[in-house]
């Protein structure tokens, strides 16, 4: 007994295998134990094809595919161990054959002496055999044969159980979008017949479509069908068919079939054997239905009802040989018995023209279909007749429900088309998320959407709908477990569907707080994949527990692909747009200077949904003598070259303004600059120079709209300025217009993009601008209005959020305040050497009045040097002016247009160092032309 214990241990191991193990997995376990127990080289399991007279290889162990190929099929009458064991229902042994046998390849091995086999027996009798390749010359001994029979009995018991396909299914692949366009003839239920005598299997077009087998290449052999069945499911399917044939009972089994692309789908086969005159089965007829959708839902959720299509098979005389349950329901209360002529058993069908149609279909050998009013129901039904070798396959379906389904599918297709169009039109990431949320969520009754992109090791939310801000921040916070729905979906690149909070907590217990925090009860986590790389994920959520059907999962998976492509495109746009905005910010002033006499605010609004930069710009430039230049311009077009031109013009304006040029002369130089860039460049410009000592504003423009002047009483006017073409097309000279503006007046400069838009010309736009300025001021005087708020109000009124614009816009609003007379002191000086002394005395006294006596000595030196130069090198009249502003400004004017220049004096020179002294003592100094001559000025910082 001690020597037998290893065998007993193997049997104990088999008995310990769980009840859930069956099918092909059970066969492999049995093979492993049998080969090991008999010290064999390999093993095989063959199962009989029901009524086929053949044994087919269902599993093998220790053999290469090439070695097993010759044993794929064995005739039951052959003298090899598997067939001998099946016929004798006992253990058998046979030496390896020396010839090729019935196969195309020799049934022999390079090692081993023979095969020993034991029958696999089900309650109806032997069904197959378990074989082991051994090396003993006369086969195994008694103990080895006993072990082999015990292992075979264990495998038989596993195969005798109800056929439930085992193993883990291959990743489920959603059905293609063509199912949305399925016609009424494509309800998913096909018909088949199987002739036991010839082994031929005949399938109608629907069944062939389910198997994805073309009618031409498919030869109808039993082996051809077997090759499409999932290896894990084949043993159970064969066993179920064998039981049905032996018992003469209905046949039903679910299994997976392999598509030409290597992926699998679930099908359900139903049928029943037909008995001949001798009582023996000679044929099986039945139906085949694609049920992939059932296996895509939770077992706890009710399976959606399949389409109600009745299937019958008739022989050439019209006798019923098969009747499905749906057909029995449709023909109630008196369905025809098997063997009865259909239209005789149900006379109402003859009145519908069914008899004539059946006879025509049999005679022509062509499919035939028609709609009719069903005698036992108020709805219209569709009847389809498909000829088969021995008669007809009759399909009866509810045409009314199919039309309703087609209408619903059509509506869904329209919504999908709208969604695809919206995603294609959306340029920004936010626009993509909004389009998906607005159009995709209603298709499924979803209440939440969350889109996050992968940023290194973190997720960044790019858009959400139906979630609170706090919950979104909670998801973005670090510290989440490494195993979570997001990482799982991205790692596997397969959508993850969770039907309830309980399932979520069961799968991810460390995240059990999230369902309650989110307020959602079902989720679809969809990875977003572009070019094989994950860019993020999309979560579609529901407010109640929900199990999505197969078609819904298919649709969501397809839509996630569209969303991923749209997001990838939008991310590129956003990056370009962000770079364009950064460039625009660099080209525009970062801030406007705070000046005592001019307070200003500005806004720039780029083109709607465009990644290109515009050519609008503005600037505020302090000038000498307390004067201020305000400039606004617009380079025509959009793009990098236009932005570069704008940058050149802005730089040129500041340079020319520092040279103290008048507005008309400055525009002339700008015109030369733009003309030199080429014929494709044009720009408009408005240049204003405000003198707070005289309250005069000098303006010149080139193709630009007039500014709006808001006077102290709140009235708005657009001054009539001389018209000139844009820069690059103008011919100088330009004209200058002078306006006297009272204190606290507003000067509003803008580009045409603010007042001109599709459906609104510039004249109406300027009227709208004036109206909105008046409305924004209300009863507030211009001197008290907040300029920042006024800018925002005007932009919101003239360019509302969400309104598409085809041009960028710039707005510059300046409040003008004159200098107080107490801060201005001016004198006329004699044109003789006494002037310098008088100037020093005047300066000394005035600085004392202003309380800045600490600057007296320096200012006296400056004034003495400047007045001395005028007396020595220029001509009168000579004037002196002091301005007390943010700096102390000292101006000396004369009647000579010649401007002084600093020169380097040699060590032996007696003069030439005066201007060097001025430059060393003053914070800034310079010279500008005046109508009478020139003015030399200096600025000193106040203490």
């Amino acid at each position: 007994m001690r020597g037998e214990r290893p065998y007993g241990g193997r049997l104990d191991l088999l008995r310990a295998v769980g009840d859930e193990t069956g099918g092909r997995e059970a066969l492999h376990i049995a093979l492993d134990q049998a080969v090991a127990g008999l010290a064999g080289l390999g093993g095989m399991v063959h199962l009989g094809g029901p009524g086929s007279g053949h044994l087919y290889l269902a599993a093998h162990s220790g053999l290469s595919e090439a070695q097993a190929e010759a044993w794929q099929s064995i005739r039951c009458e052959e003298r090899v161990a598997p067939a001998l064991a099946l016929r004798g229902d006992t253990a058998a042994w046979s030496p390896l054959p020396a010839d090729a046998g019935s196969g195309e390849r020799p049934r022999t091995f390079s090692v081993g002496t023979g095969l020993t086999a034991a029958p696999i027996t089900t309650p109806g009798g032997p069904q197959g055999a378990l074989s082991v390749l051994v090396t003993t010359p006369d086969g195994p001994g008694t103990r080895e044969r006993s072990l082999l029979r015990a292992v075979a009995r264990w495998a038989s018991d596993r195969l005798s159980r109800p056929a439930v396909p085992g193993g883990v299914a291959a990743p489920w692949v959603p059905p293609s979008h063509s199912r949305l366009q399925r016609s009424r003839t494509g309800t998913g239920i096909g018909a088949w017949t199987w002739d036991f005598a010839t082994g031929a299997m005949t399938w109608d077009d629907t069944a062939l479509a389910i198997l994805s087998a073309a009618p031409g290449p498919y030869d109808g052999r039993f082996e051809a069908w077997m090759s499409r069945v999932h290896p894990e499911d084949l043993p159970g399917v064969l066993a179920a068919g064998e039981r049905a044939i032996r018992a003469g009972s209905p046949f039903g089994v679910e299994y997976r079939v392999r598509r030409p692309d290597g992926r699998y789908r679930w099908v359900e086969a139903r049928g029943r054997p037909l008995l001949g005159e001798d009582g023996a089965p000679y044929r099986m007829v039945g139906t085949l239905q694609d049920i992939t959708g059932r296996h895509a839902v939770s077992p706890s959720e009710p399976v959606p009802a399949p389409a109600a299509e009745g299937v019958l098979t008739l022989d050439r005389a019209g006798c019923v040989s098969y009747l499905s349950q749906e057909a029995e329901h449709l023909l109630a209360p008196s369905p025809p018995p098997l063997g009865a002529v259909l239209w005789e058993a149900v006379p109402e069908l003859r009145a519908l023209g069914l008899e004539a149609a059946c006879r025509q279909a049999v005679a022509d050998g062509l499919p035939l279909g028609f709609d009719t009013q069903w005698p036992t129901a108020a709805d219209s039904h569709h009847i389809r007749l498909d000829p088969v070798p021995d008669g007809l396959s009759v399909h009866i379906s509810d045409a009314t429900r199919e039309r309703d389904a087609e209408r619903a599918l059509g509506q869904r297709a329209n919504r999908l088309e709208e969604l695809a169009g919206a995603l294609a039109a959306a340029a920004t990431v936010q626009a993509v998320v909004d389009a998906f949320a607005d159009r995709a969520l209603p298709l499924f009754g979803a209440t939440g959407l969350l889109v996050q992109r992968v940023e290194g090791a973190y997720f960044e939310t790019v858009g959400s709908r139906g979630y609170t801000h706090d919950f979104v921040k909670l998801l973005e916070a670090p510290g989440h477990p490494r195993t979570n729905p997001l990482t799982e979906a991205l790692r596997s690149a397969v959508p993850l569907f969770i039907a309830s909070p309980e399932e979520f907590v069961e799968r991810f217990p460390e995240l059990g707080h999230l369902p309650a925090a989110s307020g959602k009860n079902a989720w679809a986590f969809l990875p977003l994949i572009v070019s094989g790389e994950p860019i993020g994920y999309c979560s579609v959520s529901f407010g109640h527990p929900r199990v999505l059907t197969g078609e819904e999962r298919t649709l969501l998976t397809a839509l996630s692909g569209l969303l991923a492509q749209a997001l990838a495109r939008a991310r590129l746009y956003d990056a370009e747009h962000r770079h364009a905005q950064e460039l625009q910010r660099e080209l525009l002033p970062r801030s406007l200077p705070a000046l005592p006499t001019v307070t200003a605010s500005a806004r720039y609004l780029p083109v709607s949904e465009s990644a290109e930069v515009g050519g609008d710009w503005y600037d505020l430039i302090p000038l000498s003598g307390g004067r201020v230049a305000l400039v606004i311009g617009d380079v025509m077009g959009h793009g990098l070259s236009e932005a570069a031109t704008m940058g050149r013009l802005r730089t040129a304006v500041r340079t020319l303004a520092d040279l103290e040029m008048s507005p008309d002369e400055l525009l002339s130089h700008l015109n030369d600059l733009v003309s030199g860039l080429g014929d494709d460049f044009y720009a408009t410009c408005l240049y204003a120079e405000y003198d707070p000592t005289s309250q005069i504003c000098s303006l010149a423009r080139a193709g630009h709209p007039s500014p709006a002047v808001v006077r102290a009483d709140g009235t708005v006017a657009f001054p009539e300025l001389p018209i000139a073409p844009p820069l690059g097309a103008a011919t100088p000279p330009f004209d200058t217009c002078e306006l006297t503006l009272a204190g606290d007046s507003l000067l509003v400069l803008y580009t045409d993009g603010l007042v001109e838009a599709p459906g609104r010309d510039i004249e109406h736009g300027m009227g709208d601008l004036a109206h909105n300025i008046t409305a924004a001021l209300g009863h507030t005087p211009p001197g008290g209005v907040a300029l920042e708020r006024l800018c925002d109000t005007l932009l919101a009124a003239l360019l509302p959020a969400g309104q598409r614009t085809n041009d960028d816009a710039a707005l510059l609003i300046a409040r003008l305040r004159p200098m107080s007379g107490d801060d201005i002191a001016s004198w006329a000086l004699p044109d003789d050497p006494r002037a310098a002394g008088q100037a020093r005395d005047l300066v000394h006294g005035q600085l004392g009045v202003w309380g800045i006596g600490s600057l007296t000595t320096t200012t006296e030196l400056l004034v003495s040097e400047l007045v001395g130069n005028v007396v020595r090198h220029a001509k009168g009249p000579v004037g002196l002016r002091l301005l007390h502003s943010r700096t102390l400004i000292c101006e000396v004017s004369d009647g000579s247009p010649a401007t002084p220049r600093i020169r380097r004096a040699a060590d032996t020179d007696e003069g030439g160092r005066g201007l060097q002294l001025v430059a060393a003592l003053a914070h800034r100094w310079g010279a500008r032309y005046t109508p009478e001559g020139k003015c030399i000025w200096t600025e000193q910082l106040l203490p």
Side-chain angles (χ1 to χ4, degrees), residues 719-786:
E720 293 291 338
L721 302 182
I723 299 175
L727 300 174
T731 301
F734 294 88
D735 295 321
T736 300
C737 175
E738 292 187 349
L739 303 175
T740 300
L741 301 179
D744 288 336
S745 296
L746 300 182
L747 189 63
V748 181
L749 284 66
Y750 54 90
T751 58
D752 58 356
L754 182 70
V755 295
E756 192 174 23
R760 181 180 66 191
D761 59 29
I762 194 168
E763 296 296 332
H764 286 87
M766 293 171 65
D768 291 344
L769 174 62
H771 171 76
N772 283 286
I773 291 175
T774 303
L777 291 176
H779 300 290
T780 304
V785 68

Side-chain angles (χ1 to χ4, degrees), residues 57 100 183 299 381 401 456 495 502 506 559 562 579 585 601 699 712 732 782 824 842 883 931 934:
L57 183 63
S183 68
H381 281 64
R401 192 165 75 172
E502 293 77 16
E506 180 181 355
L559 293 182
L562 292 178
H579 295 157
R585 283 194 295 268
S601 293
L699 303 99
I824 305 174
L842 293 172
L883 303 177
K934 68 175 181 295

Side-chain angles (χ1 to χ4, degrees), residues 424-685:
T428 66
V429 169
Q430 187 58 51
V432 169
V433 173
D434 290 341
F436 193 84
D438 293 339
R439 292 170 174 81
L441 296 190
L443 287 174
F444 306 94
T447 59
L449 174 69
L450 185 67
V451 180
Q452 291 189 316
R453 65 185 176 194
V454 179
E455 292 293 341
Y458 300 96
F459 291 99
E460 178 186 353
T461 302
V462 298
S464 65
R465 181 72 62 86
Y467 289 100
T468 64
H469 177 73
D470 292 340
F471 179 76
V472 174
K473 289 299 182 184
L474 175 64
L475 288 183
E476 292 180 337
H480 290 299
R482 297 186 62 180
T483 301
N484 58 66
L486 318 183
T487 57
E488 186 171 318
L490 287 178
R491 183 172 54 251
S492 63
V494 175
L496 175 62
F497 301 96
I498 299 180
S500 66
E502 293 77 16
E503 182 181 350
F504 187 100
V505 174
E506 180 181 355
R507 299 189 65 168
F508 307 101
E510 296 181 357
L511 299 174
H513 61 288
L514 290 183
S518 69
K520 308 301 179 185
N521 291 285
W523 301 264
F525 296 97
L526 309 169
L528 302 177
I529 310 295
V530 176
S531 300
E533 293 295 329
I535 65 170
Y537 84 97
C538 164
S539 170
V540 176
S541 55
F542 303 85
H544 54 83
R546 171 80 180 275
V547 177
L548 297 171
T549 65
E551 278 199 4
E552 287 175 326
R553 296 185 181 203
T554 298
L555 194 53
L556 275 173
T557 303
L559 293 182
S560 69
L562 292 178
L563 177 61
Q565 295 293 336
L567 283 175
R569 184 178 63 251
R571 288 180 66 181
L572 293 177
Y573 169 85
D574 282 349
E576 293 178 5
H577 189 60
R578 184 169 58 254
H579 295 157
Q581 289 182 325
E582 291 174 356
L583 175 62
Q584 193 77 51
R585 283 194 295 268
E586 291 298 322
L587 293 175
L588 291 174
R590 295 187 178 183
S591 61
L592 297 177
L595 304 174
T597 58
V598 176
T599 305
S601 293
R603 294 290 185 274
Y604 173 78
L605 194 66
V607 181
S608 298
E609 298 185 0
S610 173
E612 293 185 323
V613 292
D616 290 12
W617 92 96
Y618 56 85
D619 211 344
L620 185 69
I621 308 170
L623 303 176
S624 65
R627 297 170 303 123
V628 179
L630 301 97
V631 60
I632 194 166
D634 180 4
V635 178
M636 298 181 185
H638 303 91
L640 291 177
S641 59
E642 286 76 8
T645 301
M646 179 264 282
R648 292 177 183 174
L649 293 182
R650 178 170 174 255
T651 302
V653 168
R654 296 190 71 90
T655 302
L656 296 173
D658 284 343
L659 294 177
E660 306 285 358
M661 290 187 177
S662 62
D664 56 330
E665 186 180 3
L666 185 144
L667 290 184
S668 295
H669 283 283
L670 284 183
N671 183 70
D672 294 341
L673 174 62
V674 175
S675 298
L677 297 176
D679 296 337
D680 296 332
F681 289 92
Y682 301 96
T684 66
C685 184

Side-chain angles (χ1 to χ4, degrees), residues 214-267:
Y218 183 67
D219 58 11
R221 293 182 303 110
F222 182 78
E223 292 82 354
W225 166 79
M226 278 184 51
S227 66
R228 294 185 179 275
V229 180
H230 194 292
E232 296 285 347
D233 304 340
L234 181 59
V237 175
L238 294 177
E242 185 70 19
R243 286 195 300 270
I245 292 174
R246 289 178 176 173
S249 59
F251 165 80
V253 68
E254 297 179 7
Y255 59 94
R256 288 162 291 180
V257 293
R258 180 173 53 82
R259 310 280 286 194
D261 60 4
R263 301 181 179 183
Y264 287 88
R265 296 186 63 78
W266 285 94
V267 298

Side-chain angles (χ1 to χ4, degrees), residues 68 155 200 309 424 476 806 905:
E309 179 181 74
E476 292 180 337
N806 53 17

Side-chain angles (χ1 to χ4, degrees), residues 843-933:
V843 166
H844 185 277
Q846 187 62 46
L847 296 188
V849 173
W850 285 341
I852 52 176
S854 60
L855 298 179
T856 299
T857 302
T858 304
T859 307
E860 288 179 349
L861 286 173
L862 291 172
V863 168
S864 180
E865 180 63 32
L866 294 179
V867 172
N869 283 342
V870 169
V871 172
R872 185 179 299 112
H873 303 293
K875 63 181 181 179
V878 182
L880 171 64
R881 186 171 73 164
L882 298 179
L883 303 177
H884 185 203
S885 182
R886 61 174 182 165
T887 60
L888 176 62
I889 302 173
C890 176
E891 296 180 341
V892 176
S893 59
D894 60 59
S896 173
T899 58
R901 293 181 296 109
I902 293 181
R903 65 183 181 86
R904 183 174 297 278
D907 294 340
T908 57
D909 290 345
E910 295 183 359
R913 296 177 177 84
L915 290 182
Q916 293 183 18
L917 177 64
V918 170
L921 295 176
H923 175 63
R924 288 200 315 150
W925 79 280
R928 67 175 181 270
Y929 292 105
T930 65
E932 296 80 15

